Amino acid sequence: MRNSYLAVLSWPWAHSYCWSTVRWDGVICIGSVVRGETPHFDFVCQATAQGIMDVGLKTGRPAVFCVLTDDNIEQARARSGGKHGNKGVDAAVALLRMAALRRKLSA
């Protein structure tokens, strides 16, 4: 599911709904939250991380948190293909390994 218009707080619900209708091996929640001038950033990031973890535990399938939580746009760019690599690739590798481990342990 690729929806750039969904607010990150909607992601846990969206992924939970999708899992109830389609059997995926796992999901990667990719996005970016850039700190603003208020504490809202902290609330959004914490709630999103908790929600994604809860969905993974509820479904028994990997839900990989790949939401960049950066102080500024430069940090976000550096972690999404810039000098710090691409965290989306790291998340994809993690999901593939977790899905393989799940299949192995279920066999």
Side-chain angles (χ1 to χ4, degrees):
M1 174 161 85
R2 182 174 182 229
N3 289 307
S4 58
Y5 58 86
L6 283 178
V8 292
L9 286 174
S10 304
W11 293 353
W13 174 85
H15 289 293
S16 181
Y17 176 78
C18 288
W19 259 322
S20 70
T21 59
V22 178
R23 293 290 167 206
W24 297 340
D25 287 333
V27 65
I28 304 171
C29 302
I30 298 177
S32 180
V33 180
V34 178
R35 185 180 301 278
E37 298 176 5
T38 68
H40 183 70
F41 171 88
D42 298 313
F43 305 135
V44 168
C45 293
Q46 176 60 38
T48 302
Q50 183 68 50
I52 292 168
M53 183 181 71
D54 289 348
V55 169
L57 293 172
K58 176 182 170 187
T59 62
R61 298 182 188 279
V64 177
F65 181 83
C66 183
V67 179
L68 301 180
T69 54
D70 299 303
D71 289 324
N72 54 55
I73 194 68
E74 290 78 23
Q75 286 180 349
R77 287 185 180 133
R79 297 172 68 209
S80 57
K83 67 180 179 180
H84 294 295
N86 189 323
K87 299 305 176 187
V89 172
D90 296 343
V93 170
L95 176 65
L96 292 171
R97 289 181 177 166
M98 291 172 68
L101 177 62
R102 181 181 179 278
R103 272 189 237 107
K104 181 179 178 180
L105 294 175
S106 297

